[in-house]
Amino acid sequence: MAVVLFAGDDGGGGGGGAAAKRAKPYLKKFVQPDSDEEFVGDPRNLYNVHESWRTLLSMSTCQKVMVTEAAQKALKIEVGVNVTQEFPWKQVQFKDLRDILFEELENVAELTKMFRGFNPEHYILIGYCPILTESDDDPPEGDPFIFFISGKEAKLAMGIIQNMEAFERWRMRRRLRKKPRRWVSQGTEDEMEILVERFRDEPVDVEIQSVYPIQEPKHVAFDYRMARDVRDGVIELLPNENIKFDNIIKRRITVAVQSAPARVDREQQTNPTFPSNAWSQYLYEIDDADLELDESEVEEEDGKAKPTSRNPTPLPEEVVDKPPPEMSDQINLLLNTLEFNQIDSYRNDYQLISSKQVVQYTNPYLQEFICFANISKSNKRFVAGYDWYPNMSGLIAVSYAFSTLATTNLASSRVDWVQRAVLEPNPVLLWSFADNLNYKLEFEAPFETTSLTFCPHNGDLLLGGSTNGVVVVWDLQGRCEHLDDEEYLTAAQAKYRTLIGEFLKWTIELKENVVIPPATLSTMETSPNGAITGFYWLGKHFYINNHGKVYNDADQRNHYKFFITCAFDGTVSFWDLDGSGSKKQRDKMRARMLPKELTQSESNFKNKTITPTYNLSFNEPLTSIIADTSVFSIQTPAPKVINAFPANYPISLQPKDPPSLRQSMILSTFYGHIHRVDWIGIYTDGDAKEQVNSAVQFAQVHDGPVLSMRKNPFYPELFASIGRNVFAVWKEDFSYSPIFWRKRPCDLTAVAWSETRPAVLYLTRSDGILEAWDILARDDDACLNEILGGGVITAITEHRPSLPYKILGIGDYNSSIRMVKLPHTFDVPLDNELQKLMDYVLKEERRKIGIQAWEQKYYELNKDIIEVKREAEQEAQKEMERIEREEQLNARKRQADEEEEKSANNKPLTSLPYNERMARVWDDLNLNRMMTILMSRKRMDPEKLARETALEKERLSYEAAKKESHLKLLQTIDNEVASIRARILPAEVPDMQRSEMIEERVKCELLLADSYEDVAKESFEMLSMFNEFKTIDYIEFLERGRQRRQLLDQSLGGNTDRILWYQEKVKNMQLDECNFGYDFLYSGLSEQTENDGQSSSTNRKTDTLMYESVDGEEEEAD
């Protein structure tokens, strides 16, 4: 930091007369004229800004410095940000100026001496002064500033600065004010003079008599006078101040566009292929018997040709095919003619009309393929968790729960939670496309399972998240590859099995191949406390340590199985599936020593316990997360294998791992928020848990809980979210606004992206409707709306393989999961679809960024108005809430008073004396007797009368309460309107000068202060209360004050240097040589003479006496 200090100009009057005249300070006060017409001439006659700057720079304690940009930022006096040429002045604390600026100055010792005894907490006036370097060709580094050391000169400079600012404001307003200019003729007055009637000669009265009627001029209609007809003149149309203009919001208008040609039915006459009224147009039937020759003649001929023999040797009979009979030419002609000329009613004539193929447009629809349901296992439950088996097609694991995030429970329903947890099963089933009636496998779950996932690296491992946060692991041990294997037994084996079964009838039959117990569970102590709402797998080369640090293993041979879970209690956990075992070493050795036949059915995870490696805690319930997790694609075998096993054929997952794993993720909460949070990890070996408080919130567009977020498998930076009636598509690095969002007519329950098309996603609603959206085709509405039932749909998932059909799984309200075939349009991707989707997203992002910049600019230009309106709205809202709370409290108070009064009236008689109790009983009996007599005389039924008058009594009481409430509202409406108007329309704050503000403050203090008569009266009353009051003279009073001051200074350690210095100067008669800072006002006067100097010395002596008396008063006051 380079700072250059200039020497201060000497403004004293030590030179000759001309020098003294030039150094005279310019202390003129600017007085604004009442109107511009009063002042005509040079504005410098009113006030001279140049002379004011000369006066400021010529003060004795004015210091000029060059401050660099770094020092300006440290002192908060940056040019263009904190100070400008229009507002150049700032106040800086002396300690900041000393610590930042003085260290780089050459004359720091001189400045330190000048500021000796200066309070570090006081402020120094400093200002930006560009006129110091205007004439320099090569100015030093930095910007020129000036500041004042003396407090008296700073106050004098403040007065000059206020006059300069007032003059500049008046001059700018005078320049901006529009004045009428001189009229410039464009020839209009010449045209107007023609229409003016002028009398050239004296008028003469003439009387005319005629037999013809006087011709009247024709009627001329009024015409429009346009602005273009007037060449000179400007008309300004100003609206009334009371008129308020409402902005017209541009809305989307749905316009029908024909996307396909309409169907047109036309008839065309084709040439007939048969002759009219011809004998050959009818089909003559010829039987096969008519075509055969006479066999008798053939036999006779054969008999003549046979030779005779006595002992004929029998030959084996050979079957010889009879050749077709030969037909004459006439028969062939007849048959061909009949075949050609016969009338064919089913002939296709379209081929004769046109050979060009026509595209046929049809409405897409869903076709149900198969349905999986087992009411005995999943009655009164919903589909909660689901996942597809990664190594074979057509296998899906489904878990069922009594409630999900998308379902609602009635408050009136009573649930015995203990009975449900103990007695009700927790079904988790595996279904196959090969059998829709029976499930293939059942997984034992100790708790209700809310989410499921297969391990993508080991398909035999199934993980489930429970309602209490426990993670359950099942090991299939290759059972899925042998689901349809049949066991063939010999007769001896079947007989032996039947015999053994007779002996084991008393035992329970266990289906070991169908029911799979859990291999391991996570501990309750380390698991989250809320329900697991999602599983997410990391790349196989990423791992996280116990301190929360993320690492990427460069060795491609090392594979990890880390996954992330989010829970409803706000916990995000990182798990390692390859965790260490939890059993003791002797149990492991015992397991190794057992025979192979006893351990072959045990899972490798039986001796392991999975625990979270690291935990993140958030203060809202979580529903899903978006992080740098893996997305997967599918690899299918050859079509020959698929055709051989269309229901279940082998497949393999291909992970798409991100290049890096950031310590950041996006969370969706049940409170309707979407946050991006970052974690930094911990640096101690303690509890591996980190509290995440700081988060970047995405734009809040959802009107309810955000139930789910799903990442696009082709474009991982794009994700979709659903919350109540709104679904939105977001980009990860753009939180200002979603790419687009739409409000649907019903609550949304699930969302899923297509596995084959990047721009297609599916939504399900609580009214049982499935919506398919194609973003590139249209983004204002769904391309397909399919009604799948009348109840809520809780799950949706797409089967990754496309052959033989593209299948979509839907979990409905009947606890069944239905498989439907998707239309061909949602299966085959478009040409370059991913690039088109990315271009669409980037275009929308640029448009949103432009809107954001415009909003920010508009806010900066109208910040005061917007903030005032916002504060007024908040105040009005608070006032309405306060009134509502008061009304509720008053209603409760009235209700409590009524109940208290009722309880007082119904006070038990046991607390009263005996005579009063008997009197009340007698009064009640007498009243009932009299009412009975009256009713009997008037022949009225009391019960019937009460029934008939109940409604009228209720109406009368309602009318009375209504009138009372109206009266109360009318009494308070004036005050409420006045308070709201005062908040919406803030009071104008007048821009007053310092002198005016001081004057106004003094007036307020005088108005609030007591009068002199009251103070004097009160003082005399206090004096009269003393018993004895001795009178003392003024000298003794001052002396006592001086002694008291000395005692206080000695006891409290006060600053006695000033008093000792003053006493020493008085004693040595050197007080007149001291400079108290008042000589500046008289140093520049050229009219000062030798006589004035003598009088000045006399005045100094007088001032000395005055100072002594003033100090004495101060000591007495202290």
Side-chain angles (χ1 to χ4, degrees):
M1 178 179 66
V3 181
V4 183
L5 181 66
F6 298 97
D9 296 336
D10 189 6
K21 187 174 183 179
R22 286 195 303 269
K24 181 179 178 181
Y26 186 77
L27 304 176
K28 184 178 180 180
K29 182 178 180 181
F30 170 68
V31 179
Q32 181 178 346
D34 297 335
S35 63
D36 294 341
E37 288 74 14
E38 294 182 3
F39 177 78
V40 179
D42 191 0
R44 288 179 293 183
N45 297 333
L46 288 177
Y47 194 82
N48 196 332
V49 179
H50 182 72
E51 289 296 323
S52 299
W53 275 108
R54 183 193 60 77
T55 303
L56 292 175
L57 297 175
S58 63
M59 291 185 181
S60 60
T61 61
C62 176
Q63 302 293 326
K64 298 92 173 178
V65 293
M66 297 293 291
V67 185
T68 58
E69 185 177 355
Q72 293 175 18
K73 291 182 179 179
L75 293 173
K76 296 182 181 180
I77 56 172
E78 189 176 0
V79 176
V81 179
N82 305 109
V83 297
T84 59
Q85 193 167 0
E86 184 180 1
F87 302 99
W89 300 98
K90 291 282 289 186
Q91 286 186 340
V92 181
Q93 279 190 340
F94 170 65
K95 62 179 182 180
D96 297 334
L97 194 70
R98 179 192 59 192
D99 299 339
I100 298 173
L101 195 61
F102 284 6
E103 295 179 0
E104 302 295 333
L105 300 179
E106 298 177 358
N107 56 344
V108 62
E110 182 180 353
L111 286 177
T112 305
K113 184 177 180 181
M114 291 181 181
F115 280 99
R116 179 176 298 172
F118 199 89
N119 191 348
E121 300 296 330
H122 286 182
Y123 287 85
I124 301 296
L125 181 65
I126 187 169
Y128 173 56
C129 185
I131 62 175
L132 293 177
T133 58
E134 285 180 353
S135 59
D136 296 347
D137 296 335
D138 188 12
E141 182 184 1
D143 296 311
F145 283 79
I146 61 173
F147 63 91
F148 301 92
I149 298 176
S150 174
K152 181 176 180 59
E153 288 190 359
K155 293 180 180 179
L156 184 61
M158 285 293 294
I160 297 174
I161 292 167
Q162 290 176 0
N163 289 325
M164 292 169 62
E165 292 178 351
F167 174 74
E168 291 293 338
R169 285 196 298 268
W170 171 81
R171 188 171 64 177
M172 293 302 296
R173 286 198 300 266
R174 185 167 176 266
R175 289 181 178 179
L176 295 175
R177 190 177 295 111
K178 299 294 183 181
K179 298 180 181 179
R181 292 177 289 180
R182 186 174 62 85
W183 171 265
V184 178
S185 175
Q186 299 292 340
T188 307
E189 65 275 6
D190 298 334
E191 298 177 1
M192 297 300 296
E193 288 180 356
I194 299 175
L195 302 177
V196 177
E197 183 180 1
R198 297 182 185 277
F199 295 95
R200 301 294 181 181
D201 300 325
E202 293 295 332
V204 179
D205 295 333
V206 179
E207 183 178 359
I208 301 175
Q209 294 182 359
S210 175
V211 295
Y212 296 100
I214 300 175
Q215 295 181 356
E216 296 181 358
K218 295 181 179 180
H219 176 70
V220 179
F222 290 97
D223 197 359
Y224 292 102
R225 184 170 181 261
M226 302 297 179
R228 60 178 176 271
D229 300 333
V230 183
R231 293 192 301 273
D232 47 358
V234 178
I235 300 175
E236 184 179 5
L237 301 178
L238 297 176
N240 191 358
E241 296 180 356
N242 298 327
I243 297 177
K244 296 181 178 179
F245 295 95
D246 297 333
N247 295 331
I248 300 176
I249 302 174
K250 183 179 179 181
R251 298 182 179 178
R252 178 186 294 274
I253 300 175
T254 304
V255 180
V257 179
Q258 183 176 347
S259 59
R263 180 177 180 180
V264 179
D265 295 330
R266 294 178 182 176
E267 296 180 357
Q268 182 174 348
Q269 179 68 37
T270 58
N271 296 325
T273 60
F274 53 88
S276 300
N277 299 324
W279 65 269
S280 60
Q281 74 182 62
Y282 305 104
L283 179 62
Y284 289 88
E285 296 182 359
I286 301 177
D287 298 334
D288 296 338
D290 298 336
L291 299 178
E292 293 180 358
L293 298 176
D294 191 0
E295 297 180 357
S296 61
E297 298 179 356
V298 177
E299 291 178 356
E300 291 178 357
E301 295 177 355
D302 293 341
K304 294 178 181 179
K306 290 180 180 179
T308 59
S309 178
R310 293 181 179 178
N311 297 322
T313 304
L315 297 174
E317 298 182 356
E318 295 181 1
V319 179
V320 180
D321 295 336
K322 184 184 295 184
E326 296 181 0
M327 294 180 292
S328 62
D329 296 338
Q330 290 79 5
I331 294 296
N332 289 328
L333 177 61
L334 175 62
L335 293 177
N336 294 332
T337 303
L338 293 177
E339 182 182 0
F340 179 76
N341 292 337
Q342 66 179 346
I343 300 175
D344 189 2
S345 301
Y346 302 99
R347 185 166 183 169
N348 186 9
D349 288 338
Y350 283 99
Q351 299 178 359
L352 303 176
I353 298 174
S354 174
S355 60
K356 183 179 180 181
Q357 295 182 356
V358 180
V359 179
Q360 182 182 5
Y361 294 92
T362 58
N363 294 326
Y365 63 95
L366 300 179
Q367 181 181 0
E368 186 166 349
F369 169 64
I370 201 170
C371 181
F372 301 127
N374 191 313
I375 304 302
S376 62
K377 296 287 185 180
S378 60
N379 187 25
K380 297 181 181 180
R381 292 175 173 85
F382 301 96
V383 176
Y386 49 88
D387 196 17
W388 298 93
Y389 184 63
N391 297 338
M392 185 174 293
S393 67
L395 296 178
I396 182 172
V398 184
S399 66
Y400 304 89
F402 286 99
S403 63
T404 63
L405 296 178
T407 58
T408 56
N409 297 325
L410 298 177
S412 59
S413 61
R414 302 294 180 181
V415 178
D416 190 350
W417 301 101
V418 177
Q419 181 180 359
R420 174 180 290 183
V422 174
L423 301 180
E424 293 288 345
N426 304 305
V428 179
L429 308 176
L430 182 73
W431 297 92
S432 174
F433 286 175
D435 187 2
N436 64 330
L437 298 178
N438 302 311
Y439 58 87
K440 293 299 182 180
L441 295 176
E442 181 180 0
F443 303 90
E444 291 183 353
F447 312 103
E448 193 176 65
T449 305
T450 56
S451 59
L452 291 174
T453 180
F454 278 100
C455 177
H457 313 294
N458 184 3
D460 288 337
L461 297 180
L462 176 64
L463 282 72
S466 306
T467 54
N468 58 354
V470 173
V471 176
V472 185
V473 180
W474 293 279
D475 192 354
L476 278 69
Q477 296 180 340
R479 289 184 174 90
C480 291
E481 283 75 11
H482 306 284
L483 292 176
D484 297 330
D485 292 350
E486 297 182 1
E487 186 179 10
Y488 297 97
L489 301 178
T490 61
Q493 292 175 343
K495 182 179 180 180
Y496 178 75
R497 183 168 295 184
T498 303
L499 182 61
I500 293 297
E502 293 291 334
F503 288 106
L504 299 178
K505 283 185 178 180
W506 57 273
T507 60
I508 300 176
E509 184 178 0
L510 297 177
K511 299 180 179 179
E512 296 181 355
N513 295 329
V514 177
V515 180
I516 301 176
T520 183
L521 289 83
S522 64
T523 59
M524 294 284 292
E525 294 79 8
T526 58
S527 301
N529 297 325
I532 302 294
T533 55
F535 286 89
Y536 307 90
W537 291 91
L538 298 181
K540 57 186 177 181
H541 300 296
F542 298 112
Y543 66 95
I544 300 174
N545 61 6
N546 295 329
H547 300 287
K549 300 298 181 181
V550 177
Y551 297 96
N552 186 1
D553 196 344
D555 191 356
Q556 300 296 326
R557 295 172 298 177
N558 297 332
H559 293 172
Y560 303 93
K561 299 177 183 178
F562 275 84
F563 63 93
I564 309 174
T565 61
C566 59
F568 205 69
D569 64 338
T571 302
V572 178
S573 302
F574 298 87
W575 306 75
D576 184 10
L577 198 57
D578 293 333
S580 59
S582 62
K583 284 196 173 183
K584 295 182 180 180
Q585 189 68 23
R586 62 174 180 269
D587 294 337
K588 294 182 180 180
M589 294 299 297
R590 179 177 175 272
R592 292 194 187 99
M593 295 173 62
L594 290 175
K596 182 179 179 181
E597 291 75 7
L598 298 178
T599 59
Q600 62 182 358
S601 62
E602 289 188 356
S603 173
N604 295 330
F605 284 83
K606 191 172 183 180
N607 297 329
K608 296 182 180 180
T609 301
I610 56 173
T611 58
T613 306
Y614 194 71
N615 294 319
L616 301 178
S617 179
F618 197 66
N619 54 3
E620 295 182 15
L622 303 180
T623 56
S624 57
I625 65 173
I626 296 292
D628 294 332
T629 54
S630 298
V631 294
F632 302 93
S633 61
I634 200 72
Q635 185 176 0
T636 57
K640 183 178 180 180
V641 179
I642 297 176
N643 296 330
F645 306 96
N648 304 116
Y649 54 86
I651 58 175
S652 61
L653 286 182
Q654 300 296 326
K656 300 178 183 178
D657 298 336
S660 62
L661 179 59
R662 297 169 293 178
Q663 294 191 182
S664 175
M665 64 178 59
I666 300 174
L667 310 177
S668 64
T669 69
F670 199 71
Y671 295 161
H673 303 151
I674 299 178
H675 301 274
R676 173 175 283 280
V677 298
D678 300 330
W679 76 91
I680 58 177
I682 57 177
Y683 300 95
T684 58
D685 294 333
D687 188 12
K689 189 173 184 179
E690 179 180 351
Q691 180 70 31
V692 179
N693 295 321
S694 61
V696 177
Q697 184 172 356
F698 282 64
Q700 190 169 355
V701 297
H702 296 289
D703 55 353
V706 181
L707 300 182
S708 177
M709 293 191 304
R710 288 294 180 266
K711 183 191 299 186
N712 191 313
F714 300 92
Y715 191 11
E717 296 181 1
L718 198 68
F719 68 93
S721 63
I722 57 172
R724 190 63 67 85
N725 297 338
V726 176
F727 92 94
V729 177
W730 305 80
K731 197 169 181 289
E732 281 191 9
D733 54 354
F734 188 66
S735 60
Y736 168 74
S737 175
I739 300 302
F740 76 93
W741 63 276
R742 298 291 178 264
K743 187 176 180 65
R744 310 311 300 152
C746 192
D747 292 354
L748 301 175
T749 57
V751 60
W753 288 94
S754 173
E755 297 290 343
T756 54
R757 289 196 54 189
V760 174
L761 74 157
Y762 306 102
L763 302 175
T764 58
R765 299 177 0 193
S766 59
D767 56 354
I769 294 180
L770 169 71
E771 295 184 357
W773 287 71
D774 189 349
I775 301 175
L776 296 181
R778 58 183 304 184
D779 59 359
D780 60 327
D781 201 356
C783 297
L784 172 64
N785 289 277
E786 190 78 14
I787 301 176
L788 299 177
V792 61
I793 298 175
T794 59
I796 181 171
T797 177
E798 183 177 349
H799 190 218
R800 289 192 178 96
S802 300
L803 296 177
Y805 309 106
K806 193 62 180 177
I807 304 299
L808 189 67
I810 298 168
D812 60 7
Y813 61 98
N814 289 326
S815 69
S816 61
I817 183 161
R818 302 159 61 183
M819 299 295 165
V820 295
K821 298 178 183 178
L822 284 174
H824 188 66
T825 54
F826 295 103
D827 183 15
V828 180
L830 304 177
D831 295 338
N832 203 13
E833 184 174 356
L834 179 57
Q835 185 61 39
K836 292 179 181 178
L837 177 63
M838 296 174 65
D839 295 341
Y840 171 83
V841 171
L842 295 177
K843 181 191 70 173
E844 291 295 323
E845 183 181 8
R846 288 193 297 269
R847 186 175 68 85
K848 299 281 185 179
I849 291 174
I851 294 173
Q852 182 182 9
W854 180 86
E855 289 180 353
Q856 184 65 24
K857 183 178 179 181
Y858 180 82
Y859 174 77
E860 292 176 356
L861 294 176
N862 306 275
K863 183 178 181 180
D864 299 337
I865 300 175
I866 295 174
E867 292 296 334
V868 168
K869 287 185 179 180
R870 185 179 299 170
E871 292 177 0
E873 291 176 358
Q874 292 178 358
E875 291 293 334
Q877 183 68 20
K878 291 180 181 179
E879 184 67 19
M880 297 298 291
E881 292 177 356
R882 184 188 64 81
I883 294 173
E884 185 177 359
R885 286 196 300 269
E886 289 181 356
E887 291 178 355
Q888 293 178 358
L889 291 175
N890 294 333
R892 292 176 183 175
K893 188 176 180 181
R894 287 195 301 270
Q895 184 178 1
D897 294 341
E898 292 175 359
E899 292 179 356
E900 185 177 357
E901 184 179 357
K902 188 183 294 184
S903 61
N905 294 334
N906 298 332
K907 189 175 181 181
L909 300 178
T910 55
S911 60
L912 297 176
Y914 178 76
N915 54 353
E916 293 184 5
R917 281 185 289 165
M918 292 298 102
R920 287 195 178 188
V921 172
W922 171 255
D923 291 339
D924 294 339
L925 293 175
N926 193 18
L927 179 62
N928 294 332
R929 183 179 63 83
M930 293 175 64
M931 291 295 294
T932 305
I933 294 173
L934 289 175
M935 292 295 178
S936 62
R937 288 182 179 180
K938 292 186 178 183
R939 297 179 180 179
M940 296 180 63
D941 188 3
E943 296 180 358
K944 183 179 180 182
L945 179 64
R947 290 196 303 269
E948 293 178 353
T949 58
L951 295 177
E952 185 65 20
K953 289 180 180 180
E954 185 177 357
R955 187 185 67 80
L956 292 176
S957 61
Y958 172 74
E959 292 292 339
K962 184 178 180 180
K963 290 181 180 179
E964 184 180 359
S965 63
H966 284 179
L967 291 175
K968 290 181 179 179
L969 289 175
L970 291 175
Q971 291 176 0
T972 59
I973 191 171
D974 294 336
N975 297 332
E976 293 179 0
V977 170
S979 61
I980 294 174
R981 183 176 297 171
R983 287 173 173 80
I984 296 177
L985 302 175
E988 296 183 359
V989 180
D991 187 11
M992 297 186 297
Q993 302 297 328
R994 182 176 177 82
S995 58
E996 297 175 358
M997 295 171 62
I998 295 174
E999 184 178 356
E1000 186 70 22
R1001 182 66 181 273
V1002 170
K1003 288 181 181 179
C1004 294
E1005 294 293 337
L1006 290 176
L1007 291 175
L1008 297 176
D1010 298 333
S1011 62
Y1012 176 76
E1013 290 78 7
D1014 296 340
V1015 174
K1017 183 178 179 181
E1018 185 179 358
S1019 301
F1020 282 120
E1021 289 178 357
M1022 293 179 63
L1023 291 174
S1024 62
M1025 295 172 61
F1026 290 98
N1027 296 330
E1028 293 182 0
F1029 189 78
K1030 298 180 180 180
T1031 57
I1032 59 175
D1033 56 353
Y1034 186 67
I1035 302 300
E1036 186 178 357
F1037 181 74
L1038 294 178
E1039 182 63 23
R1040 289 184 181 181
R1042 184 181 64 79
Q1043 294 177 1
R1044 190 178 296 109
R1045 177 62 181 271
Q1046 290 180 355
L1047 293 175
L1048 287 174
D1049 291 340
Q1050 293 176 3
S1051 60
L1052 299 177
N1055 187 9
T1056 59
D1057 295 340
R1058 176 175 171 272
I1059 299 176
L1060 296 177
W1061 174 84
Y1062 178 75
Q1063 291 176 354
E1064 184 178 0
K1065 293 297 181 182
V1066 172
K1067 182 178 179 181
N1068 298 332
M1069 300 298 291
Q1070 296 178 355
L1071 194 62
D1072 55 345
E1073 299 178 1
C1074 298
N1075 183 10
F1076 290 96
Y1078 300 100
D1079 297 340
F1080 175 79
L1081 298 175
Y1082 309 99
S1083 60
L1085 299 176
S1086 60
E1087 295 84 359
Q1088 186 176 5
T1089 58
E1090 295 294 333
N1091 297 330
D1092 294 337
Q1094 294 176 1
S1095 63
S1096 176
S1097 61
T1098 305
N1099 292 335
R1100 287 195 181 95
K1101 294 180 180 180
T1102 308
D1103 292 342
T1104 303
L1105 298 176
M1106 183 178 67
Y1107 293 151
E1108 292 178 358
S1109 62
V1110 170
D1111 290 341
E1113 294 176 0
E1114 291 178 356
E1115 292 170 358
E1116 182 62 27
D1118 294 338

